[in-house]
């Protein structure tokens, strides 16, 4: 499969293979093994040599979704440094992507609380809360008013 990935990389200039293909499933498996790497067993097929070969192709060890999540968390922390809280307004011209992302997290949290399907995981909820994220803009303003 590595040789297929090198061909894909040569053709496309990157290693972001669609996960719907056989090669894409192999890429997903490499990421999974990499996350397990510190605790790997002697039987792991992900060796330091394989990691090195994949690194030479600029293999992305995280998904695009994970990268975007981390970018928005970094933006949120920058906002908090400037403003003292995580209450990004719905319209925030300096970073409209952050404003939309914050609104989406609140929407996904509310869906989860109602028992509806939501992409927001417990670990991401905990991560946001550890940074002082408030789920209800109204509750935050009410508590600060009193």
């Amino acid at each position: 499969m590595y040789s297929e990935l090198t061909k894909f990389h040569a053709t496309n200039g990157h290693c972001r293979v669609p996960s719907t293909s056989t090669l894409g499933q192999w890429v997903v498996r490499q990421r999974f093994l990499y996350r397990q790497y510190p605790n790997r067993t002697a039987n792991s097929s992900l060796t330091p040599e394989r990691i090195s070969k994949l690194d030479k192709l600029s293999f992305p060890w995280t998904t695009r979704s994970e990268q975007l999540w981390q970018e928005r968390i970094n933006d949120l922390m920058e906002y908090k440094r400037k403003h003292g809280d995580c209450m990004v307004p719905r319209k925030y011209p300096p970073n409209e992507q952050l404003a939309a992302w914050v609104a989406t997290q609140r929407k996904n949290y509310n869906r989860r609380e109602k028992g509806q399907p939501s992409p927001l995981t417990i670990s991401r909820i905990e991560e946001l809360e550890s940074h002082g994220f408030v789920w209800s803009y109204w509750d935050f303003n009410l508590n600060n008013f009193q």
Side-chain angles (χ1 to χ4, degrees):
M1 279 299 188
Y2 177 78
S3 63
E4 287 185 43
L5 183 63
T6 59
K7 289 175 192 169
F8 182 92
H9 183 269
T11 302
N12 299 285
H14 61 79
C15 294
R16 295 212 173 274
V17 182
S19 61
T20 53
S21 67
T22 302
L23 179 58
Q25 288 302 307
W26 182 82
V27 164
V28 168
R29 178 77 178 149
Q30 302 318 296
R31 286 190 186 119
F32 172 78
L33 292 171
Y34 187 77
R35 285 188 193 101
Q36 307 302 313
Y37 188 74
N39 303 318
R40 79 179 205 279
T41 65
N43 298 348
S44 177
S45 59
L46 187 65
T47 63
E49 295 78 23
R50 182 180 286 181
I51 291 171
S52 178
K53 287 173 82 173
L54 289 169
D55 283 343
K56 286 178 184 170
L57 292 176
S58 299
F59 185 83
W61 293 107
T62 58
T63 65
R64 183 70 182 131
S65 173
E66 292 165 334
Q67 289 174 347
L68 288 173
W69 174 266
Q70 196 54 55
E71 287 173 20
R72 292 295 89 78
I73 289 289
N74 293 343
D75 290 348
L76 184 63
M77 293 302 86
E78 180 62 28
Y79 179 91
K80 186 176 181 179
R81 277 190 285 282
K82 288 181 181 176
H83 302 279
D85 58 46
C86 295
M87 299 305 296
V88 182
R90 280 195 174 271
K91 295 196 187 276
Y92 183 59
N95 191 336
E96 292 176 359
Q97 290 174 322
L98 175 62
W101 181 82
V102 164
T104 298
Q105 302 320 304
R106 288 193 177 112
K107 180 183 78 172
N108 288 337
Y109 179 81
N110 288 332
R111 290 178 60 82
R112 186 179 180 87
E113 288 291 294
K114 293 175 184 173
Q116 299 172 341
S118 169
L120 190 62
T121 64
I122 299 280
S123 64
R124 287 186 170 183
I125 290 170
E126 290 170 350
E127 181 178 6
L128 285 167
E129 288 177 346
S130 76
H131 294 301
F133 193 85
V134 177
W135 297 107
S136 170
Y137 194 80
W138 173 257
D139 288 346
F140 176 82
N141 286 326
L142 187 61
N143 289 337
N144 285 336
F145 180 72
Q146 295 175 346

